[in-house]
C-alpha cells in the first residue's frame, strides 16, 4: 500500500521494454516517492520485471493484470487500486506493424488501433473521472516520433499514433480546467522487443497482394535503411525512462516530449512548409536517392556520437 506522500503511478505494458524500465526506475527512486502499480496482460511474463525490480518488488512496486483491449480487465484492474486513486497514469502498452498495406489484412490493422488508440482511450476514460473529482493527476501517453511524422511502410502504426496525438491534443485543454496534466513522450527508435517482434513478423511475411516492385522497395530499400537508423539513432529503454521521470517531476510538465533531438529537424520539416511538399520530397530523396548513402552517413553519425573519436584525441 502507498505511504502518505507517495504518488501512486499505474503503468500499462510492463512485461518488457520501455514499460518495464519505467516501472523499475520509478520503484527504485532514491527518495521512495512513488508507489508503482506495474500492469501486464499476462502475469506469467512477470519474471523479468520482478528480477529487475529486486528489493523494490513488494515494497514500492506491485503487479496487477491488465489487458488494455478488454473493458472488463480495465475496470477490474482500476477497481483493485485502493480508492481508485491514481496520481500518475502512464499509458505505455503498444504494438507495431510494418509492411506494404496491400499485404496487411484489415483485421491486423484493427488490432493495432484496438491497442494503440482504443486501448489508450479506454484507460483514460477509466482513470480520468476520479482525477477530475480530485482536481489533480497527470496522464502520460507513450506516443512516438511517428505520431508527428509519417514514415513509409509504417502507414497503419503511424496512423494509430497520429490518432492518439489528436485525441490528447484535444483532451489536454479540457483537462487543464480540472488541474490534470497531460503529456506525450515521442521516442524515435528504441531497442526493445518491439523491434525484434517487427523483424520476426517481417521474416514470416509472404506479401500477398503486393507487386514485385513494392516488395523490393520494402525489403531492399526501406528495411536496410531502417536497420541503419535503429543502429545509429536507437535509444535504450533507460533513456526513455529517464526522460519520462523528468517530465513527471517537472513543476510545469511539457505537453510534447521528443526524446531524441536528432529527430527535431525531421519533425520541423512539415511546419517549415505548409503545403507538405518539403517533408514528402525530403523523405522520398532520403529513402530512394540517398538510401545507399544512409549506411555510410549513419556509420559516421554513430561514430561521432559514441565518442570513440573524441576519446582517441585526448
Ligand atoms: N521501441 C520503439 O522503437 C518505440 C516504441 N514506442 C512505443 O513505446 C511503447 C512500448 O513499446 P516497447 O517497450 O518498445 O515494446 P515492447 O514490445 O517491448 O513492449 C510493449 C508492451 O505492451 C504490451 N501490450 C501489448 N498489447 C497489450 C494489451 N492489449 N494490453 C496490455 N499490454 C499490452 C506488451 O505486452 P505482452 O508482452 O503481453 O505482449 C508489452 O509489455 C509502445 O506504445 C510503442 O508504440 C514509441 C517509439 C519507439
Ligand atoms: C528517419 C528516416 C527513416 C526511418 C525512420 C525510422 C525507421 C523510424 C523508426 C521509428 C520508430 C521505430 C518509432 C516507434 O514508434 C527512413 C524512412 C528509413 C528514411 C528517411 C528518414
Amino acid at each position: 500500500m502507498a505511504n502518505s506522500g507517495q504518488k501512486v503511478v499505474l503503468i500499462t505494458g510492463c512485461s518488457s521494454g520501455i514499460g518495464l524500465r519505467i516501472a523499475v526506475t520509478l520503484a527504485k527512486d532514491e527518495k521512495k516517492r512513488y508507489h508503482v502499480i506495474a500492469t501486464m496482460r499476462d502475469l506469467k511474463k512477470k519474471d523479468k520485471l520482478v528480477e529487475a525490480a529486486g528489493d523494490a518488488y513488494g515494497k514500492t512496486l506491485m503487479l496487477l493484470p491488465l489487458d488494455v483491449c478488454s473493458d472488463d480487465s480495465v475496470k477490474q484492474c482500476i477497481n483493485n487500486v485502493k480508492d481508485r486513486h491514481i496520481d500518475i497514469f502512464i499509458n505505455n502498452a503498444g504494438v507495431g506493424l510494418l509492411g506494404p498495406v496491400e499485404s496487411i489484412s484489415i483485421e491486423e490493422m484493427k488490432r493495432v488501433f484496438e491497442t494503440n488508440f482504443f486501448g489508450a482511450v479506454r484507460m483514460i476514460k477509466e482513470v480520468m473521472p476520479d482525477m477530475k473529482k480530485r482536481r489533480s493527476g497527470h496522464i502520460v501517453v507513450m506516443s512516438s516520433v511517428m505520431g508527428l511524422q509519417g514514415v513509409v511502410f509504417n502507414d497503419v502504426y503511424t496512423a494509430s499514433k497520429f490518432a492518439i496525438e489528436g485525441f490528447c491534443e484535444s483532451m489536454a485543454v479540457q483537462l487543464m480546467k480540472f488541474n490534470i496534466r497531460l503529456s506525450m513522450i515521442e521516442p524515435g527508435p528504441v531497442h526493445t522487443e518491439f523491434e525484434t517482434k517487427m523483424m520476426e513478423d517481417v521474416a514470416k511475411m509472404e506479401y500477398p497482394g503486393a507487386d514485385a516492385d513494392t516488395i523490393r522497395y520494402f525489403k531492399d530499400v526501406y528495411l536496410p535503411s531502417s536497420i541503419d537508423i535503429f543502429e545509429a539513432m536507437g535509444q535504450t529503454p533507460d533513456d526513455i525512462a529517464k526522460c519520462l521521470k523528468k517530465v513527471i517531476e517537472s513543476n510545469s510538465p511539457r505537453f510534447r516530449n521528443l526524446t531524441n533531438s536528432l529527430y527535431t529537424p525531421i519533425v520541423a520539416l512539415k511546419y517549415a512548409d505548409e503545403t507538405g511538399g518539403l517533408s514528402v520530397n525530403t523523405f522520398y530523396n532520403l529513402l530512394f536517392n540517398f538510401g545507399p548513402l544512409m549506411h555510410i552517413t549513419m556509420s559516421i553519425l554513430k561514430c561521432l556520437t559514441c565518442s570513440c573519436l573524441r576519446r582517441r584525441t585526448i
Side-chain angles (χ1 to χ4, degrees), residues 29 55 64 74 93 96 117 124 138 148 165 177 183-184 191 199 214 219 228 241 249 251 272 282 306:
D29 174 60
D55 286 352
L64 281 179
V74 167
F117 179 68
I124 292 172
H138 193 170
L148 301 169
E165 287 263 342
K177 197 75 192 144
S183 300
M184 286 184 296
H191 300 291
M199 289 308 169
T214 305
K219 280 174 53 177
D228 283 344
E249 288 173 1
N251 288 330
T282 307
C306 83

PDB file of all heavy atoms in Angstrom, residues 29 55 64 74 93 96 117 124 138 148 165 177 183-184 191 199 214 219 228 241 249 251 272 282 306:
ATOM      1  N   ASP A  29      13.242   4.800  -7.091  1.00  0.00           N
ATOM      2  CA  ASP A  29      13.529   6.220  -6.812  1.00  0.00           C
ATOM      3  C   ASP A  29      14.191   6.332  -5.434  1.00  0.00           C
ATOM      4  O   ASP A  29      13.691   5.767  -4.453  1.00  0.00           O
ATOM      5  CB  ASP A  29      12.206   7.002  -6.834  1.00  0.00           C
ATOM      6  CG  ASP A  29      12.404   8.447  -6.421  1.00  0.00           C
ATOM      7  OD1 ASP A  29      13.168   9.161  -7.080  1.00  0.00           O
ATOM      8  OD2 ASP A  29      11.794   8.851  -5.392  1.00  0.00           O
ATOM      9  N   ASP A  55      14.804  -5.633  -4.698  1.00  0.00           N
ATOM     10  CA  ASP A  55      14.204  -5.354  -3.383  1.00  0.00           C
ATOM     11  C   ASP A  55      12.928  -4.524  -3.458  1.00  0.00           C
ATOM     12  O   ASP A  55      12.103  -4.549  -2.545  1.00  0.00           O
ATOM     13  CB  ASP A  55      15.195  -4.545  -2.513  1.00  0.00           C
ATOM     14  CG  ASP A  55      16.305  -5.438  -2.033  1.00  0.00           C
ATOM     15  OD1 ASP A  55      16.196  -6.658  -2.243  1.00  0.00           O
ATOM     16  OD2 ASP A  55      17.280  -4.888  -1.455  1.00  0.00           O
ATOM     17  N   LEU A  64      -0.372  -5.931 -11.184  1.00  0.00           N
ATOM     18  CA  LEU A  64      -1.783  -6.265 -11.421  1.00  0.00           C
ATOM     19  C   LEU A  64      -1.941  -6.672 -12.888  1.00  0.00           C
ATOM     20  O   LEU A  64      -1.244  -6.129 -13.757  1.00  0.00           O
ATOM     21  CB  LEU A  64      -2.686  -5.055 -11.143  1.00  0.00           C
ATOM     22  CG  LEU A  64      -3.047  -4.709  -9.688  1.00  0.00           C
ATOM     23  CD1 LEU A  64      -3.929  -3.462  -9.643  1.00  0.00           C
ATOM     24  CD2 LEU A  64      -3.762  -5.871  -8.985  1.00  0.00           C
ATOM     25  N   VAL A  74      -9.865  -3.848 -17.698  1.00  0.00           N
ATOM     26  CA  VAL A  74      -9.525  -2.469 -17.307  1.00  0.00           C
ATOM     27  C   VAL A  74     -10.307  -2.065 -16.053  1.00  0.00           C
ATOM     28  O   VAL A  74      -9.743  -1.557 -15.082  1.00  0.00           O
ATOM     29  CB  VAL A  74      -9.790  -1.493 -18.490  1.00  0.00           C
ATOM     30  CG1 VAL A  74      -9.749  -0.037 -18.039  1.00  0.00           C
ATOM     31  CG2 VAL A  74      -8.770  -1.735 -19.603  1.00  0.00           C
ATOM     32  N   ALA A  93       1.440   0.617 -23.121  1.00  0.00           N
ATOM     33  CA  ALA A  93       1.200  -0.586 -23.948  1.00  0.00           C
ATOM     34  C   ALA A  93       1.010  -0.200 -25.413  1.00  0.00           C
ATOM     35  O   ALA A  93       0.288   0.753 -25.729  1.00  0.00           O
ATOM     36  CB  ALA A  93      -0.033  -1.329 -23.443  1.00  0.00           C
ATOM     37  N   GLY A  96       3.484  -2.728 -32.781  1.00  0.00           N
ATOM     38  CA  GLY A  96       3.926  -2.165 -34.062  1.00  0.00           C
ATOM     39  C   GLY A  96       3.323  -2.928 -35.234  1.00  0.00           C
ATOM     40  O   GLY A  96       2.732  -3.999 -35.053  1.00  0.00           O
ATOM     41  N   PHE A 117      -4.713   2.916 -29.996  1.00  0.00           N
ATOM     42  CA  PHE A 117      -5.650   4.044 -29.865  1.00  0.00           C
ATOM     43  C   PHE A 117      -6.772   3.738 -28.864  1.00  0.00           C
ATOM     44  O   PHE A 117      -6.834   4.344 -27.797  1.00  0.00           O
ATOM     45  CB  PHE A 117      -6.232   4.446 -31.229  1.00  0.00           C
ATOM     46  CG  PHE A 117      -7.215   5.579 -31.100  1.00  0.00           C
ATOM     47  CD1 PHE A 117      -6.786   6.853 -30.731  1.00  0.00           C
ATOM     48  CD2 PHE A 117      -8.576   5.372 -31.289  1.00  0.00           C
ATOM     49  CE1 PHE A 117      -7.693   7.901 -30.557  1.00  0.00           C
ATOM     50  CE2 PHE A 117      -9.489   6.407 -31.127  1.00  0.00           C
ATOM     51  CZ  PHE A 117      -9.039   7.677 -30.769  1.00  0.00           C
ATOM     52  N   ILE A 124      -7.838   5.942 -20.364  1.00  0.00           N
ATOM     53  CA  ILE A 124      -8.029   7.341 -19.948  1.00  0.00           C
ATOM     54  C   ILE A 124      -9.472   7.547 -19.454  1.00  0.00           C
ATOM     55  O   ILE A 124      -9.710   8.191 -18.435  1.00  0.00           O
ATOM     56  CB  ILE A 124      -7.649   8.317 -21.100  1.00  0.00           C
ATOM     57  CG1 ILE A 124      -6.132   8.240 -21.347  1.00  0.00           C
ATOM     58  CG2 ILE A 124      -8.079   9.758 -20.790  1.00  0.00           C
ATOM     59  CD1 ILE A 124      -5.608   8.982 -22.568  1.00  0.00           C
ATOM     60  N   HIS A 138      -1.889  13.344 -13.376  1.00  0.00           N
ATOM     61  CA  HIS A 138      -1.031  13.519 -14.557  1.00  0.00           C
ATOM     62  C   HIS A 138      -1.184  12.276 -15.428  1.00  0.00           C
ATOM     63  O   HIS A 138      -0.990  11.156 -14.955  1.00  0.00           O
ATOM     64  CB  HIS A 138       0.429  13.712 -14.112  1.00  0.00           C
ATOM     65  CG  HIS A 138       1.347  14.202 -15.198  1.00  0.00           C
ATOM     66  ND1 HIS A 138       2.627  14.628 -14.956  1.00  0.00           N
ATOM     67  CD2 HIS A 138       1.176  14.347 -16.544  1.00  0.00           C
ATOM     68  CE1 HIS A 138       3.200  15.008 -16.097  1.00  0.00           C
ATOM     69  NE2 HIS A 138       2.341  14.842 -17.076  1.00  0.00           N
ATOM     70  N   LEU A 148       4.058  12.162 -35.012  1.00  0.00           N
ATOM     71  CA  LEU A 148       4.252  13.528 -35.506  1.00  0.00           C
ATOM     72  C   LEU A 148       4.617  13.559 -36.980  1.00  0.00           C
ATOM     73  O   LEU A 148       4.343  14.532 -37.677  1.00  0.00           O
ATOM     74  CB  LEU A 148       5.378  14.219 -34.717  1.00  0.00           C
ATOM     75  CG  LEU A 148       5.174  14.327 -33.211  1.00  0.00           C
ATOM     76  CD1 LEU A 148       6.457  14.769 -32.531  1.00  0.00           C
ATOM     77  CD2 LEU A 148       4.050  15.303 -32.909  1.00  0.00           C
ATOM     78  N   GLU A 165      -2.343  11.158 -30.763  1.00  0.00           N
ATOM     79  CA  GLU A 165      -1.845  12.533 -30.631  1.00  0.00           C
ATOM     80  C   GLU A 165      -3.018  13.519 -30.756  1.00  0.00           C
ATOM     81  O   GLU A 165      -3.129  14.467 -29.979  1.00  0.00           O
ATOM     82  CB  GLU A 165      -0.801  12.854 -31.714  1.00  0.00           C
ATOM     83  CG  GLU A 165       0.539  12.184 -31.515  1.00  0.00           C
ATOM     84  CD  GLU A 165       1.595  13.068 -30.844  1.00  0.00           C
ATOM     85  OE1 GLU A 165       1.433  14.297 -30.826  1.00  0.00           O
ATOM     86  OE2 GLU A 165       2.586  12.498 -30.334  1.00  0.00           O
ATOM     87  N   LYS A 177      -8.477  22.527 -17.208  1.00  0.00           N
ATOM     88  CA  LYS A 177      -9.507  23.183 -16.384  1.00  0.00           C
ATOM     89  C   LYS A 177      -9.688  22.425 -15.053  1.00  0.00           C
ATOM     90  O   LYS A 177     -10.153  22.983 -14.069  1.00  0.00           O
ATOM     91  CB  LYS A 177     -10.822  23.202 -17.190  1.00  0.00           C
ATOM     92  CG  LYS A 177     -11.855  24.158 -16.691  1.00  0.00           C
ATOM     93  CD  LYS A 177     -11.516  25.602 -17.032  1.00  0.00           C
ATOM     94  CE  LYS A 177     -12.388  26.577 -16.281  1.00  0.00           C
ATOM     95  NZ  LYS A 177     -11.671  27.791 -15.885  1.00  0.00           N
ATOM     96  N   SER A 183       0.676  14.691 -20.822  1.00  0.00           N
ATOM     97  CA  SER A 183       1.951  14.793 -21.549  1.00  0.00           C
ATOM     98  C   SER A 183       2.094  13.624 -22.500  1.00  0.00           C
ATOM     99  O   SER A 183       1.618  12.529 -22.215  1.00  0.00           O
ATOM    100  CB  SER A 183       3.144  14.733 -20.579  1.00  0.00           C
ATOM    101  OG  SER A 183       3.099  15.778 -19.653  1.00  0.00           O
ATOM    102  N   MET A 184       2.782  13.871 -23.606  1.00  0.00           N
ATOM    103  CA  MET A 184       3.105  12.766 -24.511  1.00  0.00           C
ATOM    104  C   MET A 184       4.620  12.644 -24.616  1.00  0.00           C
ATOM    105  O   MET A 184       5.331  13.651 -24.608  1.00  0.00           O
ATOM    106  CB  MET A 184       2.515  13.036 -25.889  1.00  0.00           C
ATOM    107  CG  MET A 184       1.013  12.829 -25.875  1.00  0.00           C
ATOM    108  SD  MET A 184       0.305  13.038 -27.493  1.00  0.00           S
ATOM    109  CE  MET A 184       0.661  14.728 -27.782  1.00  0.00           C
ATOM    110  N   HIS A 191      15.689   0.339 -28.675  1.00  0.00           N
ATOM    111  CA  HIS A 191      15.985  -1.098 -28.731  1.00  0.00           C
ATOM    112  C   HIS A 191      15.166  -1.853 -27.685  1.00  0.00           C
ATOM    113  O   HIS A 191      15.483  -1.820 -26.499  1.00  0.00           O
ATOM    114  CB  HIS A 191      17.474  -1.350 -28.494  1.00  0.00           C
ATOM    115  CG  HIS A 191      18.329  -0.665 -29.508  1.00  0.00           C
ATOM    116  ND1 HIS A 191      18.358  -1.054 -30.826  1.00  0.00           N
ATOM    117  CD2 HIS A 191      19.156   0.398 -29.409  1.00  0.00           C
ATOM    118  CE1 HIS A 191      19.186  -0.264 -31.490  1.00  0.00           C
ATOM    119  NE2 HIS A 191      19.678   0.623 -30.652  1.00  0.00           N
ATOM    120  N   MET A 199      10.679  -7.398 -36.696  1.00  0.00           N
ATOM    121  CA  MET A 199      11.587  -8.086 -37.624  1.00  0.00           C
ATOM    122  C   MET A 199      11.192  -9.559 -37.779  1.00  0.00           C
ATOM    123  O   MET A 199      11.276 -10.115 -38.870  1.00  0.00           O
ATOM    124  CB  MET A 199      13.054  -7.957 -37.158  1.00  0.00           C
ATOM    125  CG  MET A 199      13.591  -6.549 -37.324  1.00  0.00           C
ATOM    126  SD  MET A 199      13.332  -5.936 -39.020  1.00  0.00           S
ATOM    127  CE  MET A 199      13.717  -4.223 -38.862  1.00  0.00           C
ATOM    128  N   THR A 214       6.970  -3.118 -55.205  1.00  0.00           N
ATOM    129  CA  THR A 214       6.687  -2.666 -53.830  1.00  0.00           C
ATOM    130  C   THR A 214       7.458  -3.527 -52.829  1.00  0.00           C
ATOM    131  O   THR A 214       8.066  -3.006 -51.892  1.00  0.00           O
ATOM    132  CB  THR A 214       5.162  -2.729 -53.544  1.00  0.00           C
ATOM    133  OG1 THR A 214       4.493  -1.978 -54.543  1.00  0.00           O
ATOM    134  CG2 THR A 214       4.816  -2.196 -52.174  1.00  0.00           C
ATOM    135  N   LYS A 219      11.748  -4.453 -48.947  1.00  0.00           N
ATOM    136  CA  LYS A 219      12.799  -5.344 -48.426  1.00  0.00           C
ATOM    137  C   LYS A 219      14.213  -4.826 -48.683  1.00  0.00           C
ATOM    138  O   LYS A 219      15.079  -4.915 -47.825  1.00  0.00           O
ATOM    139  CB  LYS A 219      12.667  -6.745 -49.062  1.00  0.00           C
ATOM    140  CG  LYS A 219      11.571  -7.557 -48.383  1.00  0.00           C
ATOM    141  CD  LYS A 219      11.291  -8.881 -49.025  1.00  0.00           C
ATOM    142  CE  LYS A 219      12.459  -9.780 -49.224  1.00  0.00           C
ATOM    143  NZ  LYS A 219      12.060 -11.090 -49.796  1.00  0.00           N
ATOM    144  N   ASP A 228      19.799   0.604 -40.306  1.00  0.00           N
ATOM    145  CA  ASP A 228      20.877   1.583 -40.087  1.00  0.00           C
ATOM    146  C   ASP A 228      20.432   2.656 -39.092  1.00  0.00           C
ATOM    147  O   ASP A 228      21.193   3.054 -38.209  1.00  0.00           O
ATOM    148  CB  ASP A 228      21.246   2.286 -41.405  1.00  0.00           C
ATOM    149  CG  ASP A 228      22.100   1.396 -42.294  1.00  0.00           C
ATOM    150  OD1 ASP A 228      22.652   0.403 -41.787  1.00  0.00           O
ATOM    151  OD2 ASP A 228      22.196   1.696 -43.502  1.00  0.00           O
ATOM    152  N   ALA A 241      12.987   6.099 -19.942  1.00  0.00           N
ATOM    153  CA  ALA A 241      12.512   6.159 -18.549  1.00  0.00           C
ATOM    154  C   ALA A 241      13.034   7.428 -17.866  1.00  0.00           C
ATOM    155  O   ALA A 241      12.300   8.090 -17.120  1.00  0.00           O
ATOM    156  CB  ALA A 241      12.967   4.912 -17.798  1.00  0.00           C
ATOM    157  N   GLU A 249       8.391  14.869 -12.946  1.00  0.00           N
ATOM    158  CA  GLU A 249       8.910  15.604 -11.783  1.00  0.00           C
ATOM    159  C   GLU A 249       8.992  17.109 -12.030  1.00  0.00           C
ATOM    160  O   GLU A 249       9.363  17.878 -11.140  1.00  0.00           O
ATOM    161  CB  GLU A 249      10.283  15.022 -11.384  1.00  0.00           C
ATOM    162  CG  GLU A 249      10.093  13.649 -10.758  1.00  0.00           C
ATOM    163  CD  GLU A 249      11.380  12.887 -10.473  1.00  0.00           C
ATOM    164  OE1 GLU A 249      12.482  13.416 -10.749  1.00  0.00           O
ATOM    165  OE2 GLU A 249      11.269  11.745  -9.972  1.00  0.00           O
ATOM    166  N   ASN A 251       7.705  20.939 -12.525  1.00  0.00           N
ATOM    167  CA  ASN A 251       6.583  21.732 -11.991  1.00  0.00           C
ATOM    168  C   ASN A 251       5.630  22.139 -13.091  1.00  0.00           C
ATOM    169  O   ASN A 251       4.439  22.332 -12.862  1.00  0.00           O
ATOM    170  CB  ASN A 251       7.109  22.996 -11.304  1.00  0.00           C
ATOM    171  CG  ASN A 251       7.777  22.641  -9.998  1.00  0.00           C
ATOM    172  OD1 ASN A 251       7.401  21.654  -9.352  1.00  0.00           O
ATOM    173  ND2 ASN A 251       8.790  23.415  -9.621  1.00  0.00           N
ATOM    174  N   ALA A 272       7.776  23.803 -41.622  1.00  0.00           N
ATOM    175  CA  ALA A 272       8.518  24.778 -42.431  1.00  0.00           C
ATOM    176  C   ALA A 272       7.827  25.024 -43.780  1.00  0.00           C
ATOM    177  O   ALA A 272       8.081  26.002 -44.442  1.00  0.00           O
ATOM    178  CB  ALA A 272       9.943  24.290 -42.649  1.00  0.00           C
ATOM    179  N   THR A 282      11.549  15.417 -49.161  1.00  0.00           N
ATOM    180  CA  THR A 282      12.771  15.101 -48.412  1.00  0.00           C
ATOM    181  C   THR A 282      12.802  13.625 -48.048  1.00  0.00           C
ATOM    182  O   THR A 282      13.814  12.952 -48.218  1.00  0.00           O
ATOM    183  CB  THR A 282      12.868  15.966 -47.132  1.00  0.00           C
ATOM    184  OG1 THR A 282      12.736  17.326 -47.522  1.00  0.00           O
ATOM    185  CG2 THR A 282      14.173  15.757 -46.404  1.00  0.00           C
ATOM    186  N   CYS A 306      29.321   8.090 -30.487  1.00  0.00           N
ATOM    187  CA  CYS A 306      29.751   7.098 -29.486  1.00  0.00           C
ATOM    188  C   CYS A 306      31.003   7.581 -28.744  1.00  0.00           C
ATOM    189  O   CYS A 306      31.463   6.930 -27.819  1.00  0.00           O
ATOM    190  CB  CYS A 306      30.007   5.734 -30.112  1.00  0.00           C
ATOM    191  SG  CYS A 306      31.634   5.597 -30.851  1.00  0.00           S
TER     192      CYS A 306
END
